[in-house]
Amino acid sequence: MDPLDELYAARLEDFTALRTKLAAAARKRGDTEDAKKISAARKPTTAAWVVNRLAHADDAVQRRLADLGARLRDAHSAMDGARIRELSAEQRRLIDDLTRTAFEEAELTRPSASLRDDVISTLQAAVADPSAYGVAADSLEGWLFPAVYTFDPDVTATQVITAMVDRTKKSLADVGVAEED
């Protein structure tokens, strides 16, 4: 497992000690570049950690959110009020379900209201229009790089999605895939 993935998959309270251990291991094997990356890794906010736990536990989360977003955009384009109301209700149910699952996955039985709001905002942002994130596709499916991310406490859901899309673009560029492909 990639050291950064291992670091961000760990329990939040273990982050700092594990970061120190992984950086030391990288230095010991002579990988100074990896040691720098690991040492520079920032501890995620609790909300980011919770959403990451959900994404790692259920590969279908991204697809479900992207599919709903595409259907909502289609309904809005068609100006189909009944369909918009139906899909909006479905969105509330899906976000509620994913939020509950995320907290279960993170083993948080009594999250604060602000933490719950942050997790909900992040999940709702994933339903948004992909063009808002520089993606020329019908959905964000496949564009949200499956990794663990660190964000400052005041980061917005839009900034979270943008970071995930940017990481996908970088990974594709690193293996020679042109952005237009």
Side-chain angles (χ1 to χ4, degrees):
M1 176 185 280
D2 176 77
L4 287 176
D5 287 339
E6 180 182 349
L7 178 61
Y8 287 110
R11 298 215 34 91
L12 202 53
E13 60 269 15
D14 298 334
F15 184 90
T16 304
L18 182 57
R19 179 179 55 199
T20 301
K21 177 182 167 188
L22 291 171
R27 278 190 293 280
K28 185 175 181 179
R29 67 177 179 272
D31 192 343
T32 56
E33 191 64 34
D34 225 14
K36 285 180 188 177
K37 286 181 193 175
I38 295 165
S39 294
R42 297 185 64 175
K43 186 174 181 177
T45 64
T46 304
W49 178 77
V50 168
V51 172
N52 281 328
R53 296 284 295 217
L54 174 67
H56 282 284
D58 184 355
D59 294 335
V61 167
Q62 292 177 21
R63 181 188 44 75
R64 291 171 67 193
L65 292 167
D67 175 63
L68 177 59
R71 290 184 291 134
L72 271 165
R73 284 187 299 284
D74 289 344
H76 279 280
S77 293
M79 299 174 94
D80 184 343
R83 184 79 174 132
I84 292 169
R85 283 187 296 281
E86 174 188 318
L87 291 170
S88 294
E90 181 181 336
Q91 179 180 3
R92 282 188 298 279
R93 287 189 304 273
L94 176 60
I95 298 297
D96 286 348
D97 179 51
L98 291 176
T99 301
R100 186 174 32 264
T101 302
F103 286 122
E104 288 170 1
E105 202 51 50
E107 299 175 4
L108 295 174
T109 56
R110 302 178 93 186
S112 69
S114 65
L115 176 58
R116 181 173 293 282
D117 289 346
D118 290 346
V119 169
I120 288 170
S121 294
T122 302
L123 293 170
Q124 286 174 331
V127 177
D129 181 2
S131 65
Y133 303 100
V135 173
D138 293 333
S139 78
L140 288 171
E141 183 175 7
W143 286 96
L144 303 178
F145 195 84
V148 181
Y149 299 85
T150 56
F151 299 102
D152 290 327
D154 59 344
V155 73
T156 66
T158 299
Q159 291 168 320
V160 170
I161 300 299
T162 299
M164 296 173 83
V165 169
D166 289 348
R167 177 119 181 236
T168 297
K169 288 179 179 180
K170 181 184 180 320
S171 295
L172 291 171
D174 287 350
V175 295
V177 176
E179 189 164 332
E180 61 273 4
D181 291 339

